[in-house]
Amino acid sequence: MPPVLVALSRLPRPRLTGLGCGVLATVVMVGAAWLCEPMGGAPTLYGVLFILACTAAALWVRPADLICAPVAAPIAFAVGLVTTLGPMAAVTELALRAPWLFGGTATAAGLALLRGIGVAVGRIRRRRRRAAAVRH
């Protein structure tokens, strides 16, 4: 196994609940909004941080709550904008930053889908192994 994968396998695997996933994404995006505000909003930086937050939320949420990652993502994006811009300006910014919003949400949905498929495949393999063990 490559050294990078060995190092990654040693990292702790946080398992957030659905609520924890939403809180993580929201806290990161509020922090990102406050970080980007002095730089004139920095839409690209805010978007990149959003995609990173979506990735972390989708990878760290527990398997039973996978659907929460793509649901929490756009809410966190909007909450981050509202905290620094106010409700009316946030609506305009949501429209202007829609590609980032869709990209991050798609990232969270894609990762959650891949993890869900992995969980399902693992269950099928375990069932087959148990059935094979019973036959022998």
Side-chain angles (χ1 to χ4, degrees), residues 4-106:
V4 173
L5 293 178
V6 171
L8 287 175
S9 69
R10 290 184 189 154
L11 290 175
R13 293 184 174 197
R15 292 291 174 228
L16 299 172
T17 62
L19 178 61
C21 169
V23 169
L24 170 74
T26 302
V27 167
V28 169
M29 294 318 301
V30 167
W34 288 342
L35 174 73
C36 294
E37 185 181 11
M39 296 181 257
T44 303
L45 177 60
Y46 188 80
V48 169
L49 292 172
F50 175 62
I51 290 178
L52 293 174
C54 290
T55 301
L59 292 177
W60 287 349
V61 70
R62 62 187 186 170
D65 294 328
L66 283 172
I67 190 66
C68 295
V71 171
I75 296 169
F77 190 90
V79 169
L81 290 177
V82 169
T83 58
T84 56
L85 301 175
M88 294 308 290
V91 171
T92 303
E93 286 299 314
L94 280 171
L96 294 173
R97 298 180 189 195
W100 287 109
L101 178 60
F102 293 142
T105 305

